[in-house]
Structure formats: C-alpha cells, structure tokens
Amino acid sequence: MNTSLLCIKQTIFTNALLAADKSPKVSLNPTALLVSIVLGVIILILLVSWVKIHPFVSIMIAALITGIGSGFGLMSTVQAFLDGFGDTTKSVGILVGIGAMLGAVLMITGATGVLVDVLVSKSSRKMLPWTMALIGSLIGLPLFFDVGLIIMAPVIIMVTKKSKMPLMMIAMPALSGLCAMQALVPPHPGPTAALQAFSNGSMGLTMGMGILLAIPLVIICGPLFAKYATKIVPGGAPDTFAMADRIGNEYEGRKPSFILSLFCVAMPAILLLVTSIVMMIKPELRKSDAIGAQILQFIGNPEVALLISLVFSVLVLFATTRFPWEKLNAEAGKALGPIAGIVFILGAGGGFKNLLIDTGIGDMITEFVRNTDISILLVAWVIAVFVRVATGSSTVSAITTAGILAPTAEALAYNQIQIGLVVLAIGAGSFIFSFVNDAGLWLVKEYFGFTLPEMFKTWTVMTCLISFIGLVLVYCLGLVLM
C-alpha cells in the first residue's frame, strides 16, 4: 500500500515537473541549437565507432546531450525522447517483428528453397548470374540481409561448384539483390524507420517505387559489375565452407509449389501496392466511412497487410508441407529474439528524431531548402552518407537522417510521392561505403573466404555503386513523377 502511494506521488510530482517544464514555449538560440546537434552527432559517431557502445545506448546519450545542450530543458528533453521512442516502436516494432517471423516461416518450410531450386534448374550457364540476381532480390524482399545471406551463401557455393564459374560471377549478383532490397524496400528496418518518421508517408507507394528502382540497380551492380569483380577475384568456390552441406536440409518433407512460394514471398508487396494504387486513383476513399473503403483502408494498413501475409503463409504452408505445427510456431517465435536489438535502436532513433523536431532544427533546414536551389533529395542523401560512413550502420543512418528532415517535409507540405522519394534517397545514402565498421562486410568476408583487400575492391565498391546509382535513379524518377 505504502509502495503504491509512493509511486502515485512520484508520478504526480514527475507530471508536475513536465507540465512546468513544457509550459513556457522556449525560443532556442539557432547557433546553440546547431552546435548541440553537431556535437550530439559527433558523440553518437564516437560512441558507436570508437567506444563500441551499443547503438541503442549511444543514440540515447547523443539525444540527451543534444536536447540539454541546446537549452531545450532537462525534462522537456526526456519527454520528447520518450514520446518519439513510443511512437516509433508501436509501428516499426510490429513491422520488423512480423517481417522477421514471415521470413522464418518461408525459410523453414522450404518455400525459399523451392524458389532457388526451380530458378537455378531452369537457367543456362550464361544466364546464371542474372538468375542469381533475381533470386537474391526475391529472397531479399521478405528477409533481412543477414538472414538472406545465411540462406543464399550455401546456394551460391553450390551453384559456383556445379557451374565451375568464378565465385564473383555468382555471388555478386545475388548480394546486389539482397542489398538493393535492404536499402530501398520496406519492411526492411532502414527504409521502414525512415518512412515512419514522416507523417504523410505511404508504405505501399514507397515499396512500389523502391522495387521499381531496384531492378536497374541490381542489373548494374549485379551481373554487370560482377565482370569487373571477377578480374579482382578470379577464383572459384572455396573448398572449406561449413554450411555447404546444409542446403535443402531445412525440412525433408513435402515442399510447396513454386507459384505458392512466390506468392507467399510477394504477398505483402501485392497487398500494399494494390491498395495504394486504388487510393491514388480514388483519393476520396481515404476518408470515406463506406464499408468497402473501410475494408480497403484496413487491408492497406502496413501492420495488417504483413499480419495477413504471415497468417496466410503459416496456414497454407502448414497445410501444404505438413510441417509440424508446434515446431513451425516455435521457429517463427524464435525469429523475434535476434531483432529485439534492431527494434530498440529504431525506437531510440525515433526518440532522437522527435527531439530534433521539438527543438526546431527542422525550421532551419526548411529555410535552407527554401532559399537555395539544392534538392532535398541531395540533402537527404548527403546527411545519410555522412552518418553511414561515420557509424557503419545503415539503420542508424536512415533513422537519424529522417528525423532531421521530417519537419522540413511537413513544413513544405510534401505529398506521398515526394516523401517516398526522400525515403529512397535516404536509403541509397545509408548503404554507401561498407567498411570495417560495418558488420555486413565481415559477414560476407567470412562466409566466402575473401581477404580484406578483395572485399574493399569488390564489396565496398559495389555498395558505393548502389548508393551513387541509387541517388541518380531516385532523382530521375522524381523528374518523371513530379
């Protein structure tokens, strides 16, 4: 009883402090605000890259230093961060969680394996690099990069050995497909978190534009770039590969058909794209109370669309493959563990974003964009590049950049297409220059046995191409649509 009264008193006291702290609307000094933000970003970079503190804690510390240093107030800083953290995790957390579970279901039931087997078996030796680019893109659509790489690595080794082709001709196209989807297409953490930072974003439209741009991007950075990469690393498959004998061992029972597997992989994109296109054609449906419009809005909600896809895939793949029900659900649940850290990082990034909005940095950038001829797409890309190179994290880069630019997009009344283009520019910038501070570089290196100089000349160059060409494609798409 005493403990309850004490908690109530503490809550009342805290709320009183918050109210007192927030009541006077402070007008912050622009110089102090700019200095505190630069200092906060520098501290974030040092904590992540040099001190090696987890990005979740690093972002929190950087956000608090930014808010307090700008003169925003102690409790106002805390409350702004907490509000942003809650708003981000309640949406992005669900999307990332369901996406991870869907990827696990597709993997353990053999659906992803069926896609790989059928596409490879139908390809000639000459077409194998193009087929691997397609497979990497399909696998990368629902799966995170590290999970997709775990699936694709033994396939790449197997195909390389059977075809007797250089490893780079098979590996680079597949990796480019995984990377392009990770950089540009929701529900991957980076583009999803960036999209959720904007109040008027459309996941369906952004996903559609991202997939559209990923096609030429994968072609250039995959099969075409592989010809250059092969000159750097001309060798074939490594002799020692721990996972090479595990291919196809996920489940020995019945396999789903190719069409069903493909539909399960593409179902989230189909639901979101179809509803977004209908809403674009008939915008009055967004605010209609008619039952048909309500159903369309319901299905077009990203969280609901992913949930429908997950439930459909679980039920249909269970009925088709007879995979043990308890094990299927257990494996899907296990997928949530590894992404917990990602959700907390995204939440902290959302808190930092909300703090930046409340302190007024968006007004400064808005005036800069208004008074100059520099495209906001270039501004978004440059900020994302800076944070990515400094921290090595594409997710931290995307959420930080989106948080800085969200007020600008709102002040300039950007529509859903314009916001989608900004998100894609951020995604392109956030994937540049994979170096030693990027876990993805080490993952690829260890799986395929490359040396660091080989990685820098191939993998790092490929990520830079994805970023530069991605920006050009986003800008060209903006000229067409706007």
Side-chain angles (χ1 to χ4, degrees):
M1 183 65 179
N2 291 336
T3 303
S4 300
L5 289 174
L6 180 60
C7 291
I8 292 172
K9 289 179 180 179
Q10 288 176 336
T11 303
I12 295 173
F13 180 69
T14 301
N15 290 336
L17 283 176
L18 290 175
D21 193 43
K22 292 181 74 175
S23 55
K25 188 69 176 180
V26 293
S27 179
L28 302 181
N29 182 291
T31 302
L33 176 58
L34 185 60
V35 169
S36 67
I37 289 173
V38 172
L39 180 62
V41 172
I42 292 174
I43 290 174
L44 171 61
I45 292 168
L46 291 176
L47 291 176
V48 172
S49 304
W50 187 57
V51 188
K52 305 298 182 183
I53 295 178
H54 192 277
F56 168 59
V57 178
S58 300
I59 295 173
M60 284 189 66
I61 295 173
L64 294 176
I65 290 174
T66 299
I68 296 171
S70 67
F72 189 55
L74 294 174
M75 293 308 297
S76 292
T77 296
V78 173
Q79 191 60 39
F81 180 87
L82 293 178
D83 289 343
F85 184 93
D87 290 341
T88 301
T89 52
K90 74 180 181 182
S91 56
V92 177
I94 294 175
L95 294 173
V96 174
I98 297 178
M101 296 179 75
L102 176 60
V105 170
L106 295 173
M107 182 173 64
I108 63 175
T109 56
T112 52
V114 168
L115 289 177
V116 171
D117 293 341
V118 172
L119 291 174
V120 170
S121 65
K122 301 293 183 181
S123 299
S124 63
R125 190 176 187 274
K126 184 178 180 180
M127 288 299 296
L128 273 178
W130 299 89
T131 301
M132 295 304 294
L134 176 60
I135 293 174
S137 301
L138 290 175
I139 297 298
L141 191 60
L143 300 180
F144 297 160
F145 175 80
D146 53 351
V147 179
L149 180 61
I150 290 171
I151 295 173
M152 288 300 299
V155 178
I156 291 170
I157 298 298
M158 179 189 69
V159 173
T160 302
K161 287 185 175 181
K162 286 187 176 181
S163 65
K164 295 183 173 26
M165 295 179 69
L167 177 59
M168 277 295 175
M169 286 301 295
I170 303 298
M172 199 53 65
L175 294 175
S176 69
L178 291 174
C179 291
M181 294 299 166
Q182 182 84 9
L184 301 178
V185 181
H188 291 292
T192 301
L195 184 63
Q196 293 296 323
F198 298 96
S199 59
N200 193 34
S202 169
M203 181 168 288
L205 281 177
T206 306
M207 183 181 289
M209 291 190 294
I211 294 174
L212 180 64
L213 295 186
I215 295 173
L217 196 60
V218 172
I219 291 174
I220 297 171
C221 301
L224 298 182
F225 176 72
K227 296 179 181 180
Y228 159 80
T230 300
K231 297 178 181 178
I232 304 298
V233 186
D239 294 328
T240 57
F241 184 69
M243 293 185 63
D245 57 348
R246 298 185 188 178
I247 183 71
N249 288 342
E250 295 90 350
Y251 180 52
E252 298 297 334
R254 295 166 56 186
K255 300 288 185 180
S257 67
F258 174 80
I259 298 298
L260 177 59
S261 301
L262 182 61
F263 183 75
C264 290
V265 168
M267 190 175 182
I270 293 173
L271 290 176
L272 292 172
L273 283 174
V274 169
T275 53
S276 295
I277 292 172
V278 173
M279 293 289 189
M280 281 189 64
I281 296 174
K282 295 186 175 182
E284 65 274 10
L285 293 176
R286 296 183 183 278
K287 298 182 180 180
S288 175
D289 294 328
I291 185 63
Q294 291 290 309
I295 293 175
L296 194 66
Q297 295 170 28
F298 179 76
I299 297 175
N301 178 274
E303 291 85 357
V304 173
L306 274 174
L307 180 61
I308 291 173
S309 303
L310 174 62
V311 173
F312 175 85
S313 298
V314 169
L315 295 178
V316 173
L317 291 175
F318 166 72
T320 303
T321 64
R322 296 299 177 185
F323 192 95
W325 178 256
E326 293 81 4
K327 185 177 180 182
L328 179 62
N329 284 276
E331 293 294 329
K334 288 180 182 178
L336 295 176
I339 56 96
I342 296 176
V343 173
F344 274 94
I345 292 172
L346 296 179
F352 198 1
K353 176 258 311 184
N354 197 59
L355 178 63
L356 292 173
I357 292 174
D358 288 355
T359 54
I361 182 61
D363 297 335
M364 297 172 59
I365 298 178
T366 299
E367 288 304 312
F368 173 77
V369 173
R370 277 178 173 160
N371 298 328
T372 63
D373 294 328
I374 300 177
S375 168
I376 192 173
L377 299 180
L378 180 59
V379 173
W381 185 83
V382 169
I383 296 174
V385 165
F386 173 74
V387 180
R388 157 67 170 183
V389 171
T391 65
S393 171
S394 60
T395 302
V396 172
S397 171
I399 189 64
T400 302
T401 307
I404 293 173
L405 294 178
T408 302
E410 186 170 353
L412 297 178
Y414 280 7
N415 59 35
Q416 292 181 336
I417 293 178
Q418 290 171 311
I419 289 176
L421 292 170
V422 172
V423 170
L424 295 178
I426 292 173
S430 70
F431 226 78
I432 199 172
F433 198 69
S434 175
F435 202 57
V436 292
N437 58 347
D438 178 21
L441 178 141
W442 298 101
L443 201 60
V444 174
K445 175 186 178 300
E446 295 305 317
Y447 264 114
F448 300 112
F450 298 137
T451 65
L452 270 180
E454 289 173 342
M455 288 295 295
F456 296 153
K457 295 175 183 177
T458 55
W459 167 259
T460 302
V461 172
M462 189 263 285
T463 57
C464 290
L465 283 176
I466 286 178
S467 184
F468 284 111
I469 297 173
L471 174 64
V472 172
L473 293 174
V474 171
Y475 189 79
C476 291
L477 183 61
L479 293 177
V480 173
L481 295 180
M482 303 308 299

